[in-house]
Amino acid sequence: DIVMTQTPLSSPVTLGQPASISCRSSQSLVHSNGNTYLSWLQQRPGQPPRLLIYKISNRFSGVPDRFSGSGAGTDFTLKISRVEAEDVGVYYCMQATQFPYTFGQGTKLEIK
Amino acid sequence: EVQLVESGGGLVKPGGSLRLSCAASGYTFSSAWMSWVRQAPGKGLEWVGRIKTKTDGGAADYAAPVKGRFTISRDDSKDTVYLQMNSLKIEDTAVYYCTREWYYCMDVWGKGTTVTVSS
């Protein structure tokens, strides 16, 4: 199975400041069709997860442009340009390039 | 509005069975692959399995911890996907989410249904 490792596991951030979460996979996430199926999800407290970013860097419908994704191969990053109070929650990376689909452990974003 | 609503969770003894349902609305259900993802109390997300559309063969795939015990099926006439869980173990205790799989990502999530396996 592909292991997804996120860092940090906890990120205290000041409102209005940027935040960055790293996700590293144990194998390349490039699919045989050339696509890289790495997505990012946000889970606010008491809520189900919500898709933020798909295929490394594509923002899903309705996601604010302060969220951005980047990376390639085995190293990926989610960035929030200016953290707002509503961004508090846990962020997960997920790979769907290879079965079984696997998630990172989650990164808890909290306000300082 | 695209929506997924899970039901069927509850308390069950180890070794017991439970069937979860997920009713979809707001889109053409038969055209979408569907997945189940679970989250144990205080833990992260774990993919359980998924079922393809009938057009794509209708096959289901499972994570190793549930393979042979869980079965995913779909009824396109009812816009519903099911998760039949047999031989339940204490470690199956979790919130189970139904999700729509769209181009290899989970773009729509239900609110989840809680399964507790305890004697």
Side-chain angles (χ1 to χ4, degrees):
Chain A
D1 296 4
I2 295 179
V3 176
M4 306 295 287
T5 304
Q6 289 183 227
T7 53
L9 297 184
S10 177
S11 179
V13 183
T14 302
L15 286 174
Q17 293 300 302
S20 180
I21 299 170
S22 173
C23 175
R24 179 166 289 179
S25 58
S26 59
Q27 301 173 37
S28 172
L29 297 187
V30 179
H31 193 274
S32 57
N33 65 13
N35 289 309
T36 299
Y37 296 112
L38 184 283
S39 55
W40 290 94
L41 302 115
Q42 175 197 60
Q43 187 173 32
R44 291 171 172 151
Q47 299 279 322
R50 162 198 178 202
L51 178 64
L52 295 177
I53 303 284
Y54 63 96
K55 286 203 296 181
I56 301 177
S57 59
N58 296 274
R59 255 190 317 275
F60 189 58
S61 174
V63 174
D65 60 9
R66 63 178 182 275
F67 290 93
S68 64
S70 62
T74 61
D75 287 288
F76 306 93
T77 303
L78 175 70
K79 290 183 179 173
I80 309 174
S81 58
R82 294 172 306 279
V83 171
E84 297 189 5
E86 65 178 18
D87 299 336
V88 165
V90 180
Y91 291 78
Y92 296 92
C93 58
M94 189 201 101
Q95 71 79 22
T97 291
Q98 183 184 115
F99 270 137
Y101 299 166
T102 47
F103 294 88
Q105 323 95 298
T107 295
K108 188 172 186 177
L109 185 76
E110 47 199 5
I111 305 299
K112 275 184 191 173
Chain B
E1 181 195 2
V2 176
Q3 200 171 7
L4 299 173
V5 179
E6 302 94 337
S7 61
L11 174 63
V12 61
K13 288 183 168 47
S17 297
L18 211 54
R19 188 177 84 154
L20 306 184
S21 300
C22 170
S25 60
Y27 71 100
T28 304
F29 176 76
S30 59
S31 299
W33 295 8
M34 300 297 294
S35 277
W36 288 92
V37 174
R38 68 184 180 183
Q39 187 169 36
K43 301 296 185 184
L45 302 171
E46 181 185 22
W47 178 78
V48 172
R50 76 111 128 92
I51 188 165
K52 294 181 177 180
T53 61
K54 292 207 168 28
T55 302
D56 290 327
D61 296 282
Y62 303 93
V66 308
K67 196 168 186 178
R69 301 187 297 122
F70 289 13
T71 302
I72 300 174
S73 60
R74 63 190 300 155
D75 185 340
D76 291 345
S77 69
K78 295 183 179 178
D79 292 348
T80 300
V81 62
Y82 303 98
L83 179 64
Q84 177 67 44
M85 303 185 294
N86 298 332
S87 303
L88 281 161
K89 304 176 181 180
I90 290 174
E91 53 264 38
D92 295 320
T93 294
V95 175
Y96 284 74
Y97 295 104
C98 170
T99 79
R100 184 176 75 173
E101 191 173 319
W102 173 76
Y103 291 106
Y104 298 90
C105 68
M106 316 296 181
D107 72 329
V108 181
W109 293 69
K111 288 184 171 21
T113 188
T114 300
V115 172
T116 303
V117 185
S118 174
S119 54

